[in-house]
Amino acid sequence: GQQLNQSPQSMFIQEGEDVSMNCTSSSIFNTWLWYKQDPGEGPVLLIALYKAGELTSNGRLTAQFGITRKDSFLNISASIPSDVGIYFCAGQKSGGGADGLTFGKGTHLIIQP
Amino acid sequence: DTAVSQTPKYLVTQMGNDKSIKCEQNLGHDTMYWYKQDSKKFLKIMFSYNNKELIINETVPNRFSPKSPDKAHLNLHINSLELGDSAVYFCASSPRDSLYGYTFGSGTRLTVV
């Protein structure tokens, strides 16, 4: 089935560094979402993007919906220890919820002391 | 007053058994979903259910069946469990017209021995 190509697979960074990750697809999505998953928990929505070219911020997080509708990136500025976790991009082709989300394989963010 | 709650949190069972996982949402959402997360953390949609309309991912074996007694519940029944069914199963819900409220439960870790 359809998959999103998410990179990098993992990141080892120092506290305070900026982080960047992205997702690409061979087909168009109408909506892009970015989630974070902590151990033993479900994914939690960070940012939702609805329009091509849209740039949205949520605190230290910034995400953009690519102009071609086939890609998106997430940046985290000045990382802190609680940013550790798995970040997922997700896309949806239709405007409604019924056909669910297609997820990337995740980016594991690890912050080294 | 958890928004999307799943029970049990952990489930260990033998091959061949039949088991159910319950999911309830108190958000008033119209659509509910089941996702499977494998050992490599890949999330894949299994079902979505919206106003008595069930959309099934074609790769899901027919041993898996969702059952919705009412709008707030979508339970997952699994017959004749196999070793490969071991995974974390997430329930989620969303409003009809917006993905911003797309909310996941905290997951059920199923281990088949």
Side-chain angles (χ1 to χ4, degrees), chain B residues 10-21:
Chain B
Y10 301 95
L11 181 56
V12 181
T13 188
Q14 290 187 326
M15 272 195 307
N17 284 350
D18 302 337
K19 289 293 179 185
S20 295
I21 306 171

Side-chain angles (χ1 to χ4, degrees), chain B residues 60-112:
Chain B
V60 175
N62 57 15
R63 297 181 295 103
F64 291 78
S65 58
K67 290 191 169 46
S68 180
D70 55 58
K71 187 177 167 182
H73 296 82
L74 185 67
N75 303 324
L76 183 64
H77 297 268
I78 316 170
N79 295 327
S80 303
L81 277 155
E82 301 177 357
L83 292 176
D85 297 332
S86 296
V88 181
Y89 292 85
F90 287 99
C91 178
S93 71
S94 73
R96 183 193 303 273
D97 298 320
S98 170
L99 290 177
Y100 220 104
Y102 207 115
T103 305
F104 283 82
S106 58
T108 296
R109 181 174 293 278
L110 171 65
T111 304
V112 182

Side-chain angles (χ1 to χ4, degrees), chain A residues 31 35 37 40-43 45 48 50 86 88 92 96-98 100-101 103, chain B residues 9 33 35 37 41-43 45 48 55 90 96 98-100 102 104-106:
Chain A
T31 305
Y35 282 86
Q37 185 177 21
E41 298 297 328
L45 182 64
Y50 295 99
I86 305 176
F88 291 98
Q92 192 186 54
L101 301 176
F103 279 86
Chain B
K9 177 79 171 174
Y33 313 82
Y35 285 81
Q37 187 172 45
K41 304 298 185 184
F42 182 53
L43 274 159
I45 189 163
S48 70
I55 299 175
F90 287 99
R96 183 193 303 273
S98 170
L99 290 177
Y100 220 104
Y102 207 115
F104 283 82
S106 58

